[in-house]
Amino acid sequence: MPEVNPARLLTSLADFAAIGATPAGGVNRQALSVEDRAARRLLAERALARGFTVFQDEAANLFLRRDGRDATLPPLLIGSHLDSQPTGGRFDGALGTLSAFEVLEALADAGVETGRAIEVVAFTNEEGSRFSPGCMGSMAFAGAGNLSDWRRARATDGALLADELAATLQALPEARMRPIGHAVSAFVELHIEQGPVLEREDVPIGVVTAVQGTKWLEIAFSGEAAHAGTTPLEFRKDPMGAAAAAIACIQGDIMPADPAARLTVGRIAAEPGSINVIPSRVSFTVDIRHPDAVALAAMERRVHEECEAAGARWDCGTVIELRVDMAPGRFDPQVTAAIEETCRALAIRCRPMVSGAFHDALFVGRVAPAAMIFVPCRNGISHNEAEFVSDAHIIAGAQTLLGVALRLSAA
Amino acid sequence: MPEVNPARLLTSLADFAAIGATPAGGVNRQALSVEDRAARRLLAERALARGFTVFQDEAANLFLRRDGRDATLPPLLIGSHLDSQPTGGRFDGALGTLSAFEVLEALADAGVETGRAIEVVAFTNEEGSRFSPGCMGSMAFAGAGNLSDWRRARATDGALLADELAATLQALPEARMRPIGHAVSAFVELHIEQGPVLEREDVPIGVVTAVQGTKWLEIAFSGEAAHAGTTPLEFRKDPMGAAAAAIACIQGDIMPADPAARLTVGRIAAEPGSINVIPSRVSFTVDIRHPDAVALAAMERRVHEECEAAGARWDCGTVIELRVDMAPGRFDPQVTAAIEETCRALAIRCRPMVSGAFHDALFVGRVAPAAMIFVPCRNGISHNEAEFVSDAHIIAGAQTLLGVALRLSAA
């Protein structure tokens, strides 16, 4: 069985980490930026040097193709993304893309002819930090979003998406343009877990069977600003009382009752925000996630009920708005079985798990069989310059991806 | 019995409301500003025109004296302050100062000779919005604070207190300088309630028997920022969970159990403040008040206990800092009795009450018998351009002050 080249892969990760490197050891390589274009160029040049074919589509998704025996079969797709958060780490996205490229090189080194072509993909703007929404490239690829609407999006730095997309495509004239959303036989994405489970259990490979559904709610209680010292309880319409009661209740109840549930209040504000004034308005966000759509809907109902009850109890108005509503995704059992079998063959411990974060595979999974391979990251830290993956886990992940790619491209 | 001149008092209130008037009908006449100086000048000129004597002390407290029969007796002091919040109302401070001046004019009109002199005071910087702390003039007058420390204070607009104090004193060369903290026989301050009680009970006069003690606490829970989707409950150190539980508990328990207790959480912040990130730190303020020092200390202990318990339960660090600690003040029973007797004589309904806000009288009360007269304000609204007092309540308040001043200056 062919093997990945550990030294080459680790060097490659270091080469790409230098593009947009931050002083603290992280990466700032936001979508469609000059740094993002430099990373795409480097990857395309390496592909051309190996004799692979380079394609782009109108969303600037980048494809590197190594042909197989039967050109009439749709290719197997492997990869991830190259863009990063503004103070991102070296592995989120890059690990999956560069490991996939290492798979192509290892197959070429070993002279393995696969049944179908294998294509490496770097999807555009997975992070969504410079341009919203994230997973733009994979959503466009899967027909799950409208690229012409997004073209009018403005970056946090003022740039227009349409302009940055055109400039990015033009910066790589060697790439052939292809229509967006070509058929693929399957998609496998290697990624860091971005959570603490694999590390704590000392398991090198997570077989991702599903991606949690996510809903983002914005909740606002409105009461009446009044003097903290002169206003007796019976005159108070205190939205802070309502907010604290609602948050304490949903945070105290929902997660302890269901290990698969996630509930986070990440943002809160009180107006006018004065020490000695009862607030007129308190607003906060609730991020709820669950792998099961029915359970997720039940969580949302519970948040509504508790907030409305707390608002009524404190004589406040309650407004609840749903800002993001992303259905859970189930990965393909045959692809996850291929990952498990590969781990067994390689004698690498693995465990099934659910992804708490979205990934490009969630969207590609809507148009093709897909699954993901997770590797542990230190302390579960991600979206952070301190993000770290051990060399051993990098190699295990890439070798697993190679094994899965061989299984899924054989025919 | 002499009576106040309603037309003159209402005109006077309108004249002063024009100094620093805001488009929304409020007043911006912050301490030691150009507008504050203009108001002091107008009052001093009116006093000189009536033949009263004008004094200032080194804290720029302004005194207007109408002599009595016996110049060896310490004067009775009545008045309040002329400075306002940046978006303040027309009555907070001005009502008490201008009604006191109306008392002097009414006595002069009626040719009443009082036993002791009566002095009207406008204390400097009661509001504390431009320079901290508030009640600076009355604290300095009562020896309860160090004026030389405050001289180095910077305004929100960058000005140095020492400079603004000197400019304010120089702007009124007609006033005689006098040593700070001269003896007074008693102090009576008329003020708007700044709360809803008198209006709701339809009682025109509140006899203020005490001022609540106040403590301001700043509480911070520190946990660990982590991904909202990928971090299971057992890995979370969520300071929002701790904050919500602590606030819900103290807000839900303390005030319902004790009608004299006040507890307000007016400010809260979560860091980094991202929808999909478990916060690393949540901080908030707690304003607690009680007329009884022992009960106030018990409230503070309870806040400590609940916060520490919540921090421990959510595996977070807990830091609690005491920022303001102001002891409760009891007003003088003979002065409050004089207010009650005056109301009875005038057939004006009154009720005893505790002030939820600080006032200059709290500090003067430490060196002389003192009390306050409250009048209702619409919806309890104050520190707001919408602050409003009916003409009838203005006149009732001023007439009560006149009656009290006669009683307390007779001998």
Side-chain angles (χ1 to χ4, degrees), chain B residues 209-230:
Chain B
T209 57
V211 177
Q212 292 181 142
T214 300
K215 289 175 190 267
W216 285 358
L217 303 166
E218 272 182 29
I219 297 163
F221 292 113
S222 51
E224 208 167 87
H227 194 297
T230 59

Side-chain angles (χ1 to χ4, degrees), chain B residues 98-125:
Chain B
L98 300 177
S99 296
F101 189 73
E102 173 58 33
V103 166
L104 284 206
E105 290 200 276
L107 291 173
D109 289 347
V112 173
E113 192 183 35
T114 54
R116 60 178 77 243
I118 302 181
E119 291 186 2
V120 172
V121 63
F123 281 114
T124 296
N125 186 26

